[in-house]
Amino acid sequence: MKLFKIRGGVHPHDNKHLAAGQAIEDLPMPALLHIPLQQHIGAPAKPAVRRGQQVAKGELLALSQGAISAPVHAPTSGRVMGVGSYPAHHASGLSVRTVTLKPDGEDRWSDEIQGVPDPFALAPEEIAARVAAAGIVGMGGATFPSAVKLNLRTRYRLHTLVINGAECEPYLTCDDRLMREHAEQVVDGVRIMAHALGVDRIIVAIENNKPEAQAAMALAASMDARIRIARLPTRYPMGSEKHLVQALTGRETPARGLTADIGVVVHNGATAFAVHEALRSGRPLVSRVVTVSGGAVSRPRNLRVPLGARVQDLLEHCGGFAEQPARLISGGPMMGQPLPSTRVPMVKGSNGVLALTTAEVARHEPMPCIRCATCVQACPCGLVPLDMAAHTRAGDLEGAVSLGLMDCIGCGSCAYVCPAHIPLVQYFNYAKGEMAARGRAKQKMTETKRLAEQRSARMEAIKQAKREAMAKRKREAAAKKAAETAAAETAAMTSGAAAEPPATTAEA
Amino acid sequence: MQIEIPASSAGPFAHARTSIQRTMALVMLALLPATLFGFWQFGWPAIFLFFATVGTALLAESACLKLAGKPQRLYLLDGSALLAGWLLAVSLPPWAPWWIGAIGAVIAVVVAKHVFGGLGQNLFNPAMVARVALLISFPLEMTSYVQPMPLFSADAPGFLQSVGISLGQPGFDAVSGATLLSHVRTELSQGMSLSEIIPGIAHLVSGAVGTIAGSMGETSALLILLGGLFLLAKRVITWHTPVAMIGSLAILATLMNLYDPEHYAGALYHIVSGATLLVAFFIATDPVTSPVSKMGQIIFGASCGILVYVIRTWAGYPEGVAFAILLMNACTPMIDHYIRPRVYGRDRRGTPIEYADNAEMRK
Ligand code: SF4
Ligand code: SF4
């Protein structure tokens, strides 16, 4: 198919050879699982189990809360040790609410787990509902609840489903292996999603450094004429949703918009696999494939891991460290985040655990910017990173925003190529975080102001009511007095002529 | 307010194996053939001048770093001072006394670079600032060119004689020569026509190969071009600036030449003579002082080409290149302000692009 050119981007060494040859292996069940209640973007799930409770594999551990949220299920059968706090799978190392589960070793699925014989007979809403109930989130790392995206049909006119199999981050091979080894299941999931979205154009996009995955997927998709396999040039960040869609359709997603604005929905290949599992066998998302790689890992591998297994469990299974790693990273080296310790648990969105050596990380002392513009050429978003960084450095965040800070996707291409080794992405993350904090503060201020205004309005209303009541009482008193006077007059007059009713005065 | 951000808190955790040192080293490598050829052509005095210039540049850099309290090793090794000195040296008359180079280097490093705030902060190209300052202050020394006398050839000065030349002592009978540009200029002003001055293409060929009088490293257009192509291949520079500069100069020269061939030389003459190619590939592409967007670089380069032609043809200086560059350096901030790449998902004015697809659905 015809591909369109995208701007910028870089060609990092993909280092996929380390793990690409390793077939997916099951991680032996660890002694304990730590399952965080928030493994998705949106509201955290609400615990539905108590300490000491016995659960079966796939049983609900926590309920979805609100429109953008996802439930959490038991990755294996066992006993709930407690619902407490445990370090999150996050650079901050902060703790989050976590269910600790002691596996009983039986790995027994719940009896209630049941698939649908023919998902294509279901109504689109029904598919989305099942995907929501299975706790499926975007598995490329974004962790946006997938069902919300499957329901976009109600608000957008959609025509194309794109399956993102680019896997453009160096080192990562989990999607590659999944597509190679489970192409049929992935394609089945893709078709179910297309049915839910009501689209009849399906593009599976895979980078050219994965010829086996391309071949396997092409074979599996050959029975469905709607599916096309797009062979993408190997370039980072080809997997960025908006850039992927541009490469495939030639159209840019409007700034601040979604790809749905141009009729396209993008899902990850691993998500399609999870959808297949959820619909065909009724199994919720309780495990995922993760690449464990990097120069400091003894035996890089692709592992199917139960959610809640610790990074340490994965590393041990891969033979531990061959040498002391300089960095431990969750995700790819370009956009991944550093992990504070090996204790943190695996979550739905973690596609890689990398232990990189000092040589691989290759950070130098930052030097001043020499305005070489390589960052400008590398930016896929048409930004001028050096200027945004200069404004951020000077504390002029509004200036950085006016230069397009909010259009930056944080892909790191600029920092990757910068010969001065300036940590550009850190500047932008800092500025974005700071702007968000300011936004929140401002919102809080307007909210406080609104409340204060409401309060004073209320007070004013009460005062007004009091004044009115007072006036009323006065009027009534006056009327009463008048009535009394009138009555006295009438009484005086009754001695003579017929009584005139005092109605006129009483009305006053 | 200055903001300090820890350097290791986030990605990317991979890096292209580039550094400022590497970039500078590649540029110097590209300059090497033309420089060595210059050494050979003009002998020991040229070599002395080169080392005087480069050495002074490094000393001046070190002194400035000390004053500014910046780490010596890191910054001295970044190669920027070395390169500035080098670029200045190759654009000087090869037999100029050593102090010309030394003064120029001090001007380049102290005045043109550190006064502006050091690496990356200067508005003007240091080598060009120094060249122009020297040209104005020492017009005699800066326009005394000699005919090439290849090293070890019979009439070339010996080592000791060369020391004398470098110290500014007269005593060696050099055959002074005019550069192609000044030769043509003088003859034209005497009422000669171009066809008499440049009888054949022989002049142009010697200009291209570099066997005529000229600056130390500029004479061989071919070797400079080779270095430029090397930089392009290594992606140290992009084609936008040099192609725009050479292109606009060539187009203008061709048009004027068609209009009056007896008074206006053709494109090839302008390209091979003087510092045109050196400037197009090594100076106009100086990242610090040229625009960052590709469109900006095209505008910058094209304007340089036009200015070079205008200054050479109608203004007093046959060597218009340095002035052209400085003038355009001054325009760089403005070009960068107005010419920006288009942001993804937005039109040129920055408004989000609109498609009909879902506009009404979203309402
Ligand atoms: S790549 Fe680095 S040194 Fe070059 S312009 Fe960008 S920020 Fe400056
Ligand atoms: S991180 Fe932002 S500024 Fe840097 S290349 Fe990516 S989108 Fe451009």
Side-chain angles (χ1 to χ4, degrees), chain B residues 114-139:
Chain B
H114 282 279
V115 166
F116 283 88
L119 180 63
Q121 301 286 319
N122 47 305
L123 191 56
F124 299 99
N125 180 279
M128 289 299 107
V129 170
R131 184 174 178 171
V132 164
L134 290 171
L135 195 60
I136 294 169
S137 318
F138 309 102

Side-chain angles (χ1 to χ4, degrees), chain A residues 7 157 252 261 333 394 407, chain B residues 1 13 342 345-346 358 362:
Chain A
R7 274 186 300 179
R157 197 173 295 147
E252 287 181 18
D261 280 313
D407 290 304
Chain B
M1 179 172 66
F13 300 101
R342 185 179 62 80
R346 295 179 184 274
N358 277 297
R362 246 178 298 129

Side-chain angles (χ1 to χ4, degrees), chain A residues 398-479:
Chain A
E398 276 80 17
V401 170
S402 73
L403 290 171
L405 178 72
M406 295 307 171
D407 290 304
C408 164
I409 58 171
C411 68
S413 300
C414 51
Y416 176 81
V417 294
C418 175
H421 291 255
I422 297 169
L424 293 162
V425 182
Q426 265 112 295
Y427 280 107
F428 307 151
N429 286 347
Y430 165 82
K432 285 178 196 165
E434 195 57 30
M435 287 312 288
R438 282 188 198 175
R440 277 196 300 275
K442 204 169 141 201
Q443 212 177 14
K444 208 170 156 192
M445 229 169 70
T446 38
E447 182 64 13
T448 322
K449 209 169 132 201
R450 197 177 61 83
L451 288 178
E453 273 166 10
Q454 265 181 3
R455 183 164 180 274
S456 61
R458 237 181 6 253
M459 300 305 272
E460 188 55 37
I462 292 171
K463 267 190 212 152
Q464 181 72 21
K466 270 189 188 155
R467 269 201 300 275
E468 269 166 22
M470 185 85 91
K472 202 174 162 198
R473 270 205 303 281
K474 261 189 196 157
R475 275 200 309 276
E476 274 168 6

